[in-house]
Amino acid sequence: MDSTHILNNEIEEQIPVNEPARQEYFMDKCHEIVEEMIIKNGKAPTFHVSTFGCQMNAHDSEKLSGILEKIGYAETEEESDADFVIYNTCTVRENANQKLYGHLGALKKKKESTDGMLIGICGCMMQQPEVVDVIRGKYRFVDIVFGTFNFYKLAELLYKRLSGEESQVIEVLAEPEKNVENLPEKRKYTFKSGVNIMYGCNNFCTYCIVPYVRGRERSRTPEDILSEIKCLADSGVIEIMLLGQNVNSYGVNFLEDSEIINANPDYGFPELLEDVCKIDGIKRVRFMTSHPKDLSDKLIDVIVRNPKIARQIHLPFQSGSTAILKAMNRRYTKEDYLALVDRIRAKLPNVSLTTDIMVGFPGETDEDIQDTIDVVRYAKYDQAFTFIYSIRTGTPAAKMEQLPEDLVNERFNRVLSVVRETCAETSARFEGQTKEVLVESLNDHMDGYVTGRMDNNILVHFPGDESLIGQFVNVHLDEAKGFYYLGTRTEE
Ligand code: 5AD
Ligand code: SF4
């Protein structure tokens, strides 16, 4: 490696302290090295980011891709072709951790036979010190490790590795320091985009690792969010997904100089949502996730009067049993939840409700499962993600007495079969209607078909070609197929 790239004191003096200038500096430094690679190899080095977990991670990955492209790397669709592979990890359930170790085993072999290959791992799993210890001990071939609070520093960490300063660069922060704005991002779609409105979570549901790995709740300022969305609209984006672990507490806390400060109580999520709807060019607005304890009537009214807001609310209930909800620290009862469903349906009769359900929380009984099934039947979800409770070290529920696996599996299957039956029935209610659909892609399985999404988030496959991608078109819903439709385009 060329010694001029080594970080010495002389260079250190020129490094900007403030962000994003500091990262721009390191992007330029990495770019110089990548230019040399291009001269040597006759082509740009390639990268692939594999994303696990939620929409937040997917959006973080777009930012990582943006930084790498700015540096001069070229994205490749296949992980197996990449010179730099990054895993953006999830740790919400234990099996995600096991999967990562499996992937790393396979990557090690490839790295041994590929000159100059780099491996990076980041995301929620890296916020767990025991995981980083395992990487440091058993996976020395991993080049770069970073967490959720400093992923914007990819260029800086990569420079340390590329300049040969360190053979394994590990930097994981215990707390967020700042929200860094205005870094490049490479969006997967040209016509729709996720936008973070807040980071972290303060709810501490007793089963959940998220508050530990994503930190305290902190909102971005309305100015930053709205100006980002205006820029997106100017570049042709028509659909926005506002992202946060608990969007309904948007605006309560902000981060300033590493301190969490309280905010203007008169400007919360409903106000932000209305301002987003006012932006010209934005035709559809989605948001996730809503915590049932915080979803206000004010928000429902904002949805009612703004046709741009998708008629879909993701409202995880987790369990239908008031006793289990209490043990989960969800801070609502079965009755509170059902009353909220009623309030929403009274004002938005055609809304699609979607949810997350958990089976197997410590202490859950057959009666508790019956409560969960009651809620599934009552709320009539269009889609429900059903999970088996997974023990997460460090959470309060991990210290509770766990249920036997066989029992949980049997109950999970019982809940799942009701979920499948009711969701198929509910989501079929649009059969025969014509709906506006945003076309997202060519269909993966059927030649001559495209796939689009209705405002209630349900997918529709219908005959069409590439020219439709990114457009709203009217589609007649010919046949409900469980949780998607087959349709035909119409001029109606
Ligand atoms: N085990 C299983 N599922 C979990 N979730 C969160 N934590 C756990 C866990 N420990 C589920 C919840 C949440 C969704 C994103 O993941 O249902 O709503
Ligand atoms: Fe986890 Fe609960 Fe926060 Fe959702 S609201 S991220 S389940 S702690």
Side-chain angles (χ1 to χ4, degrees), residues 92-93 207-210 314 316 318 330 356-358 385 387-392:
V92 136
R93 286 167 287 273
Y207 51 80
C208 186
I209 195 93
V210 169
H314 188 62
Q318 315 297 357
R330 291 289 291 177
D356 296 340
I357 305 169
M358 197 184 298
F385 302 95
F387 304 106
I388 291 184
Y389 161 79
S390 166
I391 188 165
R392 306 314 293 124

Side-chain angles (χ1 to χ4, degrees), residues 201 203-205 207-208 210-211 245 291 318 330:
C201 181
N203 286 316
F204 289 96
C205 300
Y207 51 80
C208 186
V210 169
Q245 302 294 349
H291 193 301
Q318 315 297 357
R330 291 289 291 177

